[in-house]
Amino acid sequence: MDSKTDLSHAKRTPRVEDDYLLRGQGRYMSDAPMPGQTYACFVRSPHAAADIKSIDTEAAKAIKGVLAVLTGADMKEFGHGSLSQHPPLGGRGGAKLVMPFRPALCFDRVNHIGEPVALVVGETFAAAQDGAEAVAVDYQTREPASDLRAAVQSGAPQVHPEAPGNIAVDWAGLAPDPDANAKEVERVFASAKHVAKVSLLHNRLNVASMEPRGATASYDAAAESFGLRVCSQGARAMRDSMAAIMKVGNDKLRVTTEEVGGAFGLKTGPYPEYIAILVAAKKLGRPVYWMSGRSEAFLTDNHARDAYSDVELALDEKGKFLALRIRHLGAMGAYIGAVGANIQTVNMMRCLPGMYDIKLIDAQTRCVFTNTVVTAPYRGAGRPEASYCLERVVDEAARITGIDPIKLRRRNLISPKAMPYKTAIGTTYDSGDFATVVDKGLALADYEGFKARKKEAKKKGLLRGIGVCFVLEHSGGAPVEGIQMAFPGGDALDLTLNVQSTGQGHATIFPQLVAERLGIQASQIKHLHGDSRHEVAGYASVGSRSAMTVGHSMVKAIEAIVDKGKKVAATALEAGESDIEFRNGAFNVVGTDRRISLFDTAARAAEMKKKGEIAESLDTKLQTETPLTFPNGCHVAEVEIDPATGKLTIASYSAVDDCGNVLSPMIVEGQTHGAVTMGLGQAIMENTVYDSGGQLVSGSFMDYAMPRAHDLPFFREGFHPVPATTNPLGVKGAGEAGTTAAIAALMNAIADAIPGPAGAHMDMPATAEKVWRACEAARAAS
């Protein structure tokens, strides 16, 4: 099957997961207690920066029901490695990414509020909690560096002595010769007719998944092996990273995951709590269960975003984009997260130049340590930052040149004839029809009718604005992914995947795709995942990668099964292999009614292998490598604002996306709705705030606002599929485009509604107070 395969027949099949989940039959972390399990509670630092003078655990150990109290000394005795594990990332002048040691339990100093200092294990959670409250820690506080921009100023408190100026890495960009590239960009800016400039704040976010993090650790003394049942985005990826930190072989740690109540990047990598409870399970010889509380989650779950960008766009007299320059600061938090530095560097800049033909790009990042929770992947992971930078500076360019923002964008779109298009960053867009996506998106939003709606709003004393985002992102990232198909006997097929379903509908779509291609029923296929012992190659369910990477391996595995099956069928049917064809779930002798079913062929192959007649049965396990894809779309937000109160209403939101061939319209639409909602949340209400002392101000849902149903419009969505040429199904990612687009579309709409610079230069989140102040400034100026 090639990339041009027609998948327009994709059905709105109900998800098979929904039946048992809606009946309460899912198994989440708290739904499967282990026999004899104990309960963990952590002692956490109340300070953002402090030295630990002493830890007194005697009172805690004396409490009834307390089984053990572990501290950093126990972790040192175990000898685990640093939780900061990161792919190589080079900085300016050949400098390497600074990665300070991150312990499971702090033993000499703490670097953010909520960092774990001790672990108390009890027969009940209440006993463990009582014990935790009895642990006495003597701290000597230090001055923290909690604000990103302040942390890089001269004289700022230092988070780690090995990172002078709090710089984890000074990343010069993706150009082969960054210095020469920067000089050329500077030359173009110096002679440009117009230069648009914006400075943008990317507010820090808390993921706040419906199910907090949790895990149950166990230890098998006879086998000298650990078990970790954990809500993750990939059991094998979690196992591989955890085993490396634990300094044990992969065969000595089994990770399992069942249902996951929300992930979005949060549950990809290891956390200190997981190491600590594994060590505790070995010490006690009993399972240790820990489930985060909501307040605990605010303090300890990986945060996201927290960045600042200075963006400049050079244009000629006709509005042609000449060069783009970005100077970006990205907060890492107190340590380096699993792929944290990649987010604000490679992941972000790979989205450039978006849909636009920009020949020169100088995009550089400084990754910065602060005394705050670690930042790590969250839906989009660098892509929203890139799109926000690009689409806000393009709107600013429209303002300073007087060119209509749509005309200016269209004037600079990459033509379909230019595909494949090699970008100034070094990536290659394999496919895309940007002009048509834009036309469809604007038509769906009734962009032409906006002026009439604006006039009607004005009669009511309201301001109305419209904003667009011509979004392009990259999906994939971790190219290797495997699959296993096995015939256990009877008319059944086991489909084993590495990628973890966390709500994407894997159990629906992948068996359906296999069934269609093998001519069998989806009900005959058993979907297996969530166990590192499957040893299927690949990475976690992140970066909108699952459909393209699994789909690639699926097609190759089916081809291998059919090729092997033809040989076995030729023997069974006493025919030449060239006379065997496969269709409708059976191998047939061409031109005759002689046939043998797929499952009978698999059974015969298994018997032949057992007798040594063939080397392989029809069971197939393989992996493939899939290049990036580049989903794109046109998103349009429309808002109404009451200038007297600052109340903002999202009047409409429309999106037309090219996510390649659409395998399930219903699932993709659901992904779009969820992703857009997360983007809108960041734009108008979500904000994680630390005070100057490093204390978390927004530590509960009383202080951290998230969008509810009444905050959202009815979404209008459509597709313009242009098949990817880089994978057999022709699919591109679909899970993150909405988040990547929504923040720019909405903030551009607000800027359009409020006259003058106050609206154009507003920082996220655009709260009612900020909107009201901008309206007042606009009124005073007029």
Side-chain angles (χ1 to χ4, degrees):
M1 204 171 139
D2 62 28
S3 62
K4 296 182 180 179
T5 299
D6 179 17
L7 293 176
S8 60
H9 67 288
K11 304 179 183 68
R12 292 181 176 272
T13 306
R15 300 192 331 159
V16 300
E17 302 95 325
D18 294 341
D19 176 64
Y20 71 86
L21 290 177
L22 290 172
R23 288 189 284 109
Q25 294 184 339
R27 281 166 56 94
Y28 294 89
M29 269 312 305
S30 61
D31 292 330
M34 294 182 68
Q37 79 176 21
T38 60
Y39 297 83
C41 185
F42 286 89
V43 178
R44 300 188 179 277
S45 170
H47 306 291
D51 296 323
I52 298 174
K53 297 299 184 181
S54 64
I55 303 175
D56 186 350
T57 63
E58 293 307 311
K61 291 176 180 177
I63 290 176
K64 183 179 179 180
V66 169
L67 301 173
V69 182
L70 279 68
T71 66
D74 297 285
M75 299 299 112
K76 285 176 114 177
E77 180 183 344
F78 180 84
H80 74 78
S82 173
L83 271 99
S84 290
Q85 306 281 323
H86 197 283
L89 182 68
R92 195 179 302 279
K96 295 181 179 179
L97 173 67
V98 177
M99 285 200 294
F101 186 87
R102 185 183 185 189
L105 297 175
C106 297
F107 48 83
D108 58 350
R109 64 204 306 258
V110 293
N111 291 304
H112 67 81
I113 184 173
E115 194 167 10
V117 174
L119 165 63
V120 179
V121 183
E123 288 284 3
T124 64
F125 177 70
Q129 193 172 36
D130 287 345
E133 290 175 356
V135 174
V137 185
D138 183 13
Y139 296 99
Q140 179 67 51
T141 59
R142 307 189 312 273
E143 184 181 0
S146 56
D147 179 77
L148 168 63
R149 283 176 283 174
V152 296
Q153 299 302 313
S154 176
Q158 298 298 287
V159 180
H160 298 287
E162 60 265 50
N166 293 320
I167 301 299
V169 67
D170 184 358
W171 186 75
L174 288 167
D177 187 341
D179 291 337
N181 181 64
K183 287 179 182 178
E184 178 63 12
V185 169
E186 173 57 33
R187 184 190 65 78
V188 171
F189 267 91
S191 61
K193 176 68 175 178
H194 303 286
V195 175
K197 299 180 180 181
V198 293
S199 293
L200 303 170
L201 175 71
H202 310 269
N203 39 325
R204 179 178 277 246
L205 302 180
N206 192 295
V207 178
S209 55
M210 188 176 292
E211 180 192 30
R213 290 187 299 113
T216 303
S218 58
Y219 183 72
D220 183 338
E224 297 183 333
S225 65
F226 294 90
L228 186 71
R229 182 177 182 271
V230 62
C231 43
S232 79
Q233 291 177 237
R236 173 166 173 158
M238 180 69 79
R239 189 277 313 273
D240 290 353
S241 57
M242 289 283 294
I245 295 167
M246 295 281 288
K247 297 182 180 178
V248 299
N250 285 346
D251 62 328
K252 295 299 182 181
L253 173 62
R254 181 186 185 184
V255 173
T256 56
T257 298
E258 294 183 69
E259 261 71 63
V260 180
F264 314 112
L266 169 69
K267 296 172 181 175
T268 305
Y271 282 84
E273 294 88 355
Y274 305 159
I275 301 293
I277 63 172
L278 283 166
V279 175
K282 182 177 181 181
K283 280 184 170 288
L284 286 172
R286 291 174 62 181
V288 179
Y289 167 75
W290 169 74
M291 194 75 202
S292 171
R294 184 60 65 185
S295 295
E296 199 173 10
F298 271 100
L299 287 170
T300 63
D301 285 358
N302 290 337
H303 290 172
R305 314 296 193 242
D306 196 0
Y308 191 83
S309 306
D310 289 314
V311 190
E312 299 172 280
L313 180 65
L315 304 89
D316 68 14
E317 65 280 358
K318 295 181 180 180
K320 178 65 178 174
F321 299 163
L322 302 175
L324 175 69
R325 181 160 56 198
I326 298 176
R327 293 295 180 267
H328 187 70
L329 288 177
M332 299 294 98
Y335 303 97
I336 298 297
V339 292
N342 271 0
I343 293 170
Q344 303 297 346
T345 55
V346 177
N347 242 39
M348 176 180 173
M349 303 313 175
R350 273 182 179 164
C351 294
L352 304 176
M355 289 188 179
Y356 307 115
D357 184 16
I358 306 177
K359 302 298 187 187
L360 288 169
I361 299 175
D362 174 18
Q364 304 181 21
T365 297
R366 284 185 293 164
C367 295
V368 182
F369 288 116
T370 55
N371 290 114
T372 59
V373 170
V374 167
T375 60
Y378 172 59
R379 202 167 194 167
R383 301 165 183 86
E385 292 91 320
S387 182
Y388 191 55
C389 288
L390 193 55
E391 289 299 280
R392 291 307 304 277
V393 80
V394 170
D395 252 34
E396 180 67 14
R399 276 186 281 275
I400 67 170
T401 61
I403 303 173
D404 176 82
I406 300 300
K407 289 182 179 178
L408 180 63
R409 285 174 165 87
R410 278 185 165 141
R411 193 169 295 175
N412 288 280
L413 288 177
I414 298 167
S415 166
K417 295 179 181 178
M419 299 296 171
Y421 176 84
K422 181 72 175 289
T423 72
I425 290 295
T427 55
T428 298
Y429 301 165
D430 67 288
S431 61
D433 181 6
F434 303 150
T436 304
V437 167
V438 167
D439 289 343
K440 286 186 174 183
L442 297 178
L444 185 63
D446 186 20
Y447 193 87
E448 291 299 319
F450 171 72
K451 290 182 179 178
R453 296 191 295 275
K454 187 178 180 75
K455 286 181 181 178
E456 287 300 312
K458 188 175 181 180
K459 291 177 184 178
K460 302 173 188 176
L462 302 175
L463 302 174
R464 196 168 181 111
I466 193 165
V468 300
C469 178
F470 292 6
V471 63
L472 181 140
E473 57 162 345
H474 59 87
S475 60
V480 175
E481 192 64 37
I483 195 169
Q484 179 172 296
M485 296 187 191
F487 296 85
D491 292 351
L493 172 64
D494 288 346
L495 174 64
T496 304
L497 304 180
N498 164 70
V499 291
Q500 175 71 35
S501 180
T502 61
Q504 302 94 330
H506 289 185
T508 298
I509 194 65
F510 289 126
Q512 179 181 312
L513 291 172
V514 171
E516 288 175 355
R517 283 151 185 78
L518 288 178
I520 60 178
Q521 298 298 311
S523 58
Q524 294 175 291
I525 301 173
K526 184 177 182 180
H527 170 234
L528 301 170
H529 67 150
D531 190 338
S532 63
R533 284 192 179 171
H534 291 150
E535 296 295 354
V536 176
Y539 192 56
S541 297
V542 297
S544 303
R545 65 183 295 275
S546 296
M548 52 187 281
T549 57
V550 172
H552 191 176
S553 289
M554 178 194 74
V555 169
K556 294 301 181 184
I558 289 173
E559 290 174 352
I561 287 171
V562 171
D563 285 345
K564 290 188 289 185
K566 283 182 177 180
K567 293 179 175 63
V568 175
T571 300
L573 298 172
E574 298 180 342
E577 188 179 335
S578 61
D579 294 327
I580 301 294
E581 66 173 358
F582 180 76
R583 57 185 172 85
N584 300 326
F587 295 93
N588 306 272
V589 178
V590 177
T592 74
D593 60 357
R594 293 158 60 201
R595 66 193 298 275
I596 180 172
S597 75
L598 171 66
F599 295 110
D600 287 344
T601 305
R604 188 177 182 96
E607 187 64 27
M608 292 172 69
K609 181 188 176 185
K610 188 176 180 180
K611 294 178 179 178
E613 297 173 2
I614 56 175
E616 292 185 40
S617 67
L618 264 57
D619 293 355
T620 300
K621 185 176 185 179
L622 55 73
Q623 64 189 52
T624 59
E625 187 168 332
T626 308
L628 290 173
T629 62
F630 296 90
N632 55 88
C634 176
H635 288 226
V636 185
E638 200 165 323
V639 300
E640 274 193 346
I641 293 170
D642 183 348
T645 63
K647 176 177 169 54
L648 181 147
T649 301
I650 304 173
S652 69
Y653 194 98
S654 305
V656 169
D657 286 295
D658 168 17
C659 55
N661 286 324
V662 178
L663 304 181
S664 169
M666 183 179 69
I667 289 177
V668 174
E669 287 169 4
Q671 288 280 327
T672 302
H673 293 176
V676 167
T677 298
M678 287 178 159
L680 299 180
Q682 178 178 0
I684 63 175
M685 58 182 67
E686 295 188 48
N687 198 21
T688 297
V689 180
Y690 287 93
D691 66 15
S692 59
Q695 292 294 318
L696 185 63
V697 177
S698 53
S700 75
F701 288 134
M702 294 292 288
D703 307 293
Y704 188 90
M706 292 201 302
R708 305 302 196 266
H710 67 267
D711 298 309
L712 304 171
F714 283 99
F715 297 113
R716 289 177 286 190
E717 62 278 318
F719 303 120
H720 179 66
V722 179
T725 63
T726 54
N727 64 82
L729 296 185
V731 296
K732 304 174 184 176
E736 294 168 296
T739 304
T740 302
I743 56 174
L746 187 54
M747 293 303 290
N748 282 340
I750 294 169
D752 182 61
I754 304 172
H761 299 150
M762 185 184 299
D763 286 334
M764 295 187 291
T767 60
E769 179 189 1
K770 287 183 186 176
V771 171
W772 175 79
R773 290 186 182 279
C775 291
E776 287 294 291
R779 184 177 64 82
S782 66

